[in-house]
Amino acid sequence: MVNEGRNLEERDGTLEQQSATPVDASAPAPPAIPTDPSISTHPSVLAHPSVSAHPSVSAHPSVSAHPSVSAHPSVSAHPSVSFHPSVSANPSGSAFPSTFAHPGDLTQPSSSGREDLSTIKVSRRRWAVVLVFSCYSMCNAFQWIQYGSINNIFKYFYGVSAFAIDWLSMVYMLTYIPLLLPVAWLLEKFGLRNIALMGSALNCLGAWVKLGSLKPHLFPVTVLGQVICSVAQVFILGMPSRIASVWFGANEVSTACSIAVFGNQVGIAIGFLVPPVLVPNSKDKDKLAYHISIMFYIIAAVATLLFILVIIVFKEKPKHPPSRAQSLSYSLVPETSYLNPIIRLFKNLNFKLLIITYGLNTGAFYALSTLLNRMVILHFPGEEVNAGRIGLTIVIAGMFGAMISGIWLDRSKTYK
């Protein structure tokens, strides 16, 4: 490395002399430039390969050389002088007062690279994070529709009305409305990992509570388990955009958000398809209890495994910010008032139009999903499996639309 540095210095010096002096074979060699013996090169100064240093140029420990700055042999660096990246030194140039800085004003680099927010780098863990989230969102969505997809069977097993079974689906929407803003505040207050743990834990707890409702007279227990799962849903649905912005690069945000939402749609699709297969229509309640227990045990085991994976995989944020926007957000002071941003949003016409159009679309989908089994069975008795297939078709079409839209938005940025 030392020999290479010397060769570079000699070559740079030769090029600079040739550019500054006319070519004349008889001309005498230029006199050597005197050096100040009081100026020395400190061993802690690192020279970038693109920076050439002449023997007469010295660097003080408090002076850092930027890769884009080159020092000419005729320019000497005084210990009290630092070169800013935007300042270029040439033989005819002189240092203005604005280029001087005291050693105490310079920021020393951190010994550990963890606090270096200037490094923009995406983490490989990001795909594991979004995949685990997508899976436990899928598990929660399955539990939402598992009753509605075989409404007539649960109605007979528990001896309740069809409307009571419908409430096991509608309770998800009922809890979401009052808990949305408080949970959004908790997400800002306690961070991504804590909210992910809370949502996954509640989803797991609700699945195990339902295992205590395998008798026809224990309908209130299954209601309790479903209410717990509906609260977990509030901790889940607000996270896709946050995960995408915190963990993914600027060109991956929309795709990551689509993948996160994709899991929820897959869960609904499985919730339409699997329960009619696992729990066939039968007039024997003991047989029904056996088949229902198989479904409840499977979902409880999956929810438990996903909760463990959340504990292992989920981190608050990556080591390095994945985008310039995230790098800037780390240094910004968060707004103390939580209501002010909400008030500003509801004063925004575009936001209000988006709420109305998205609400109409989502409301129609949830209503159709909840009542699909009753609508089909009314006209086609005994067709629970085909009712599930109809719901599966609806969801798969939406899943493809979500994925295509996410990829298109990342490429075109045509959000409107």
Side-chain angles (χ1 to χ4, degrees), residues 230-295:
S230 70
V231 175
Q233 172 223 207
V234 187
F235 286 85
I236 293 171
L237 292 186
M239 291 183 63
S241 59
R242 175 61 66 89
I243 292 174
S245 63
V246 170
W247 282 91
F248 287 81
N251 294 328
E252 300 173 330
V253 171
S254 297
T255 302
C257 199
S258 297
I259 293 173
V261 175
F262 187 79
N264 189 272
Q265 301 302 309
V266 171
I268 297 173
I270 297 174
F272 274 119
L273 183 64
V274 173
V277 176
L278 289 180
V279 187
N281 196 352
S282 173
K283 298 302 180 182
D284 185 349
K285 289 194 175 183
D286 291 334
K287 187 176 180 180
L288 282 178
Y290 170 74
H291 289 293
I292 292 172
S293 69
I294 291 176
M295 181 173 67

Side-chain angles (χ1 to χ4, degrees), residues 113-121 320-321 323-324 327 330:
R114 301 191 176 202
E115 298 178 0
D116 185 11
L117 299 181
S118 63
T119 303
I120 306 299
K121 182 180 179 182
H320 299 288
S323 65
R324 185 66 61 186
S327 177
Y330 289 173

Side-chain angles (χ1 to χ4, degrees), residues 264-346:
N264 189 272
Q265 301 302 309
V266 171
I268 297 173
I270 297 174
F272 274 119
L273 183 64
V274 173
V277 176
L278 289 180
V279 187
N281 196 352
S282 173
K283 298 302 180 182
D284 185 349
K285 289 194 175 183
D286 291 334
K287 187 176 180 180
L288 282 178
Y290 170 74
H291 289 293
I292 292 172
S293 69
I294 291 176
M295 181 173 67
F296 283 177
Y297 271 114
I298 291 174
I299 199 67
V302 171
T304 304
L305 174 62
L306 291 171
F307 175 59
I308 295 172
L309 287 176
V310 169
I311 296 174
I312 298 172
V313 172
F314 254 82
K315 302 294 181 185
E316 182 60 34
K317 59 184 179 182
K319 179 180 178 181
H320 299 288
S323 65
R324 185 66 61 186
Q326 276 300 303
S327 177
L328 293 174
S329 70
Y330 289 173
S331 59
L332 294 177
V333 178
E335 189 168 358
T336 55
S337 174
Y338 181 70
L339 292 178
N340 287 339
I342 297 175
I343 294 172
R344 287 198 301 269
L345 280 175
F346 279 96

Side-chain angles (χ1 to χ4, degrees), residues 197-209:
L197 287 171
M198 182 64 71
S200 182
L202 288 173
N203 184 63
C204 179
L205 176 62
W208 283 104
V209 168

